[in-house]
Amino acid sequence: MAIRNIRTLGDEILLKESKPVKEITPRIRELIDDMFDTLYEQDGVGLAAVQVGILKQIVVIDIGEDDPIVLINPRIVETSGEQTGSEGCLSVPGKAGIVTRPDFVKVVYMDENMEPQEREGTGLLARAFCHEIDHLSGKLYVDKVEGDLKDVVPREEEEE
Ligand code: NI
């Protein structure tokens, strides 16, 4: 278990396509563990493997309400509705912007044992599915922001 270095805006790897995972190896398990460590250390809700420099279709999500979710080779198969709200990304530190996303999303994916799964999400979870799955095809939310990216005051500064 370890914290990995998060790639940030301007790093070209973030614009690349991630490749499907074929089998779960010990290295992939370690990567998933490290992705959760990194996510929690940064207080994020989701992280894609490309953000720690690995071009594999792996996403971890924890919106703090349910069990943590690991998505391997995820694909969005159904969306409906619309939500407009603030979004941020660990690869774009200190910024946030308004993005419109579907309000309901269904994903199919493999779990950590390469068993096929499907899961539905609404609200924040639907937003997280869209945002993280976008990362796997090299897309960043900054290209979908309505209006300007805004500066977000880091929590430590807020407390002073
Ligand atoms: Ni992101």
Side-chain angles (χ1 to χ4, degrees):
M1 308 261 277
I3 309 289
R4 302 227 182 174
N5 188 30
I6 295 183
R7 306 299 186 95
T8 54
L9 194 63
D11 189 323
E12 288 195 353
I13 199 168
L14 293 171
L15 308 178
K16 293 187 175 163
E17 297 251 352
S18 294
K19 296 196 172 61
V21 173
K22 293 194 185 105
E23 60 170 337
I24 302 296
T25 61
R27 279 185 72 157
I28 298 238
R29 286 192 194 281
E30 188 184 353
L31 170 63
I32 292 168
D33 284 346
D34 289 355
M35 285 171 67
F36 275 115
D37 286 350
T38 307
L39 179 70
Y40 294 137
E41 206 247 352
Q42 295 289 327
D43 235 344
V45 299
L47 188 70
V50 58
Q51 293 180 271
V52 294
I54 310 282
L55 286 167
K56 291 189 187 300
Q57 293 180 11
I58 303 172
V59 162
V60 298
I61 290 175
D62 189 342
I63 62 165
E65 288 174 5
D66 260 318
D67 292 341
I69 306 171
V70 179
L71 306 173
I72 295 169
N73 305 341
R75 203 157 46 83
I76 292 173
V77 292
E78 199 181 319
T79 63
S80 67
E82 204 175 85
Q83 57 173 319
T84 299
S86 185
E87 199 164 309
C89 178
L90 295 179
S91 292
V92 192
K95 301 282 181 185
I98 300 297
V99 183
T100 297
R101 301 279 193 185
D103 193 45
F104 167 88
V105 173
K106 185 197 275 189
V107 291
V108 295
Y109 60 98
M110 303 293 184
D111 65 17
E112 290 162 279
N113 301 309
M114 289 305 263
E115 298 288 339
Q117 305 286 349
E118 71 170 49
R119 186 147 179 161
E120 298 175 349
T122 59
L124 178 59
L125 184 56
R127 180 178 291 281
F129 283 152
C130 294
H131 177 112
E132 300 309 330
I133 291 172
D134 270 358
H135 272 300
L136 303 183
S137 49
K139 289 185 240 159
L140 296 171
Y141 88 98
V142 294
D143 295 320
K144 300 184 172 179
V145 165
E146 296 155 32
D148 296 322
L149 270 186
K150 300 213 163 46
D151 291 323
V152 178
V153 182
R155 199 159 301 165
E156 301 89 81
E157 284 179 38
E158 255 173 23
E159 284 166 2
E160 278 167 17

